Amino acid sequence: MEFDEQKAVDAINARLTAAGRSPYETDEVLNVIDMIWDFYEENGLLDIDSDPEEDPDDIEQDVIDYVKRMLRKDKDADVNPEDVEIMVQAEMAYEDSII
């Protein structure tokens, strides 16, 4: 199955809503998704020869920290830092669902 940005956005907003948080506009969620994938790229996790045994759970906190750091730098972003963990976990769960 192929990664579908809209399905990823829907999954993230559904997880936020289930946690009693407000959903975000599509552009805000896509910005977070881009940050997650930027982390993967910067850390060589998108390379074809990357270690397939690397457990994504091992990097989850690193991704959360990275996204929070990038959001602080992005003055146009309107994402509550308290929501980042839920958003990253939901995006990773969506990735796992399409493998």
Side-chain angles (χ1 to χ4, degrees), residues 38-47 66:
D38 287 347
F39 175 89
Y40 293 161
E41 185 173 13
E42 288 178 19
N43 289 280
L45 299 172
L46 298 179
D47 296 341
Y66 176 87

Side-chain angles (χ1 to χ4, degrees), residues 59-99:
I59 63 165
E60 182 178 296
Q61 190 59 52
D62 293 335
V63 175
I64 291 166
D65 294 342
Y66 176 87
V67 170
K68 285 181 178 181
R69 197 168 48 252
M70 293 300 105
L71 286 170
R72 280 193 300 272
K73 292 180 181 181
D74 186 349
K75 300 302 179 200
D76 293 327
D78 190 27
V79 174
N80 185 331
E82 294 175 14
D83 294 335
V84 171
E85 182 173 353
I86 296 168
M87 296 174 84
V88 168
Q89 290 171 344
E91 197 280 343
M92 289 179 148
Y94 171 73
E95 287 176 34
D96 289 344
S97 77
I98 61 172
I99 294 176

Side-chain angles (χ1 to χ4, degrees), residues 13-32:
N13 276 331
R15 179 83 63 98
L16 285 165
T17 302
R21 308 296 293 174
S22 297
Y24 287 96
E25 295 290 326
T26 298
D27 288 342
E28 290 294 337
V29 178
L30 288 174
N31 189 33
V32 170

